[in-house]
């Protein structure tokens, strides 16, 4: 069966071409640095070959950028899914200042069976601005999320302070907010649940373990229980 490009493949290919041309490199320079054929580089840039996480990390090193930047600005268009898709389209908002953690979370969500929009906001202040816009006090092109993954440790406004602020907003009260953190601090966990967090997931050193936990979270909030905006 011939390879059918997905929007994410085309988007990443465009990013690769952007970073390559920014350095004024011909295709052969990048091919040599990756130790692959020039034709294969062309396929990546045209979105005609799917790129592995390992290759993206290597490209990040070559271009001296975070791997998360290859996804920056990407919003999945549900129109590329078949019209008879049984599951609802799911909007997932990630609030995390670390592009590497954002990248890993996106990889963990990659095999989720239902179609996703995964988009990222990089600070607490930007998150509050976004939700004010959703409340009608501004303009945003991003959709209302069904699930929020919130990093606990961020500069300026940490995850707990942002959680408290978001849960005072009527628009956020029915949205599950799941805390993501490296912390094992029981106080952090208690405070998160006190302020209506819907879960507390540790960022495991094992990607497979972390992926399993993230997939379980999504399955729980879309299959085991019914979210108001996803109710039939």
């Amino acid at each position: 069966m011939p390879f059918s490009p997905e929007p994410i493949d085309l988007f990443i290919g465009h990013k690769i071409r952007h970073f390559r041309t920014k350095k004024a490199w011909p295709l052969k320079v990048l091919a040599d640095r990756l130790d692959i054929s020039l034709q294969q580089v062309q396929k990546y840039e045209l979105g005609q070959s799917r790129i592995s996480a390992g290759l993206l990390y290597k490209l990040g090193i070559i271009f001296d950028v975070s791997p998360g930047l290859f996804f920056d600005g990407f919003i999945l268009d549900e129109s590329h899914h078949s019209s008879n898709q049984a599951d609802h389209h799911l909007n997932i908002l990630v609030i995390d200042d670390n592009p590497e953690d954002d990248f890993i979370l996106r990889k963990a969500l990659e095999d989720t069976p239902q179609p996703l929009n995964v988009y990222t906001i990089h600070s607490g202040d930007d998150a509050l601005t976004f939700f004010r816009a959703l409340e009608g006090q501004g303009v945003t092109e991003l959709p209302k999320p069904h699930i929020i993954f919130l990093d606990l440790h961020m500069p300026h406004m940490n995850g707990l302070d942002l959680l408290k602020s978001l849960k005072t907003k009527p628009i956020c009260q029915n949205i599950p907010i799941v805390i993501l953190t490296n912390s094992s601090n029981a106080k952090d966990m208690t405070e998160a649940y006190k302020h209506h967090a819907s879960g507390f997931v540790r960022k495991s050193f094992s990607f497979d373990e972390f992926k399993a936990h993230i997939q379980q979270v999504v399955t729980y909030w879309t299959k085991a229980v019914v979210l108001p905006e996803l109710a039939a």
Side-chain angles (χ1 to χ4, degrees):
M1 180 179 293
F3 178 82
S4 177
E6 295 283 338
I8 185 64
D9 302 312
L10 296 169
F11 186 87
I12 292 175
H14 177 79
K15 287 281 190 177
I16 294 171
R17 185 166 60 252
H18 166 75
F19 288 127
R20 177 178 62 80
T21 55
K22 191 173 180 181
K23 287 184 175 289
W25 288 352
L27 282 167
K28 188 175 186 310
V29 170
L30 184 55
D32 289 344
R33 286 175 176 261
L34 290 172
D35 195 25
I36 59 177
S37 69
L38 186 147
Q39 291 77 13
Q40 186 59 55
V41 173
Q42 286 180 314
K43 286 183 177 181
Y44 286 139
E45 291 195 354
L46 292 172
Q48 294 175 351
S49 286
R50 194 150 291 133
I51 300 174
S52 68
L55 184 60
L56 278 182
Y57 274 112
K58 190 172 182 179
L59 284 164
I61 293 171
I62 289 171
F63 291 132
D64 193 26
V65 299
S66 163
L69 288 180
F70 291 102
F71 297 97
D72 199 28
F74 177 73
I75 299 177
L76 183 61
D77 181 359
E78 67 176 317
S79 64
H80 82 285
H81 293 279
S82 61
S83 60
N84 62 358
Q85 174 69 44
D87 289 327
H88 290 282
H89 195 77
L90 191 69
N91 298 321
I92 293 182
L93 170 61
V94 181
I95 306 175
D96 196 330
D97 67 308
N98 188 319
E100 284 78 8
D101 286 347
D102 177 27
F103 172 77
I104 291 170
L105 178 58
R106 287 172 182 270
K107 294 302 294 181
L109 290 165
E110 201 170 63
D111 299 329
T112 302
Q114 72 184 101
L116 304 178
N117 275 339
V118 183
Y119 48 101
T120 305
I121 294 176
H122 298 290
S123 74
D125 290 336
D126 286 345
L128 291 177
T129 298
F130 165 64
F131 280 103
R132 281 195 292 268
L134 283 183
E135 291 173 322
Q137 302 174 38
V139 177
T140 176
E141 296 180 357
L142 299 178
K144 181 180 177 181
H146 297 114
I147 301 173
I148 299 171
F149 286 103
L150 172 61
D151 183 40
L152 192 64
H153 297 293
M154 296 186 295
H156 308 301
M157 178 182 293
N158 66 40
L160 285 177
D161 288 338
L162 179 58
L163 175 66
K164 296 173 192 176
S165 295
L166 291 180
K167 283 302 182 179
T168 64
K169 296 180 175 293
I171 197 171
C172 293
Q173 288 175 359
N174 291 328
I175 302 175
I177 300 180
V178 179
I179 300 295
L180 296 178
T181 181
N182 292 314
S183 173
S184 299
N185 190 321
K187 182 179 178 181
D188 287 340
M189 188 181 302
T190 300
E191 284 295 303
Y193 285 123
K194 176 183 175 181
H195 294 286
H196 310 293
S198 297
F200 194 97
V201 177
R202 293 192 181 96
K203 298 176 182 178
S204 171
F205 287 110
S206 164
F207 173 74
D208 288 339
E209 181 181 358
F210 178 69
K211 178 178 178 178
H213 292 165
I214 293 299
Q215 294 276 349
Q216 287 166 2
V217 169
V218 173
T219 299
Y220 176 77
W221 285 109
T222 58
K223 304 295 184 184
V225 301
V226 181
L227 294 171
E229 293 189 20
L230 293 179

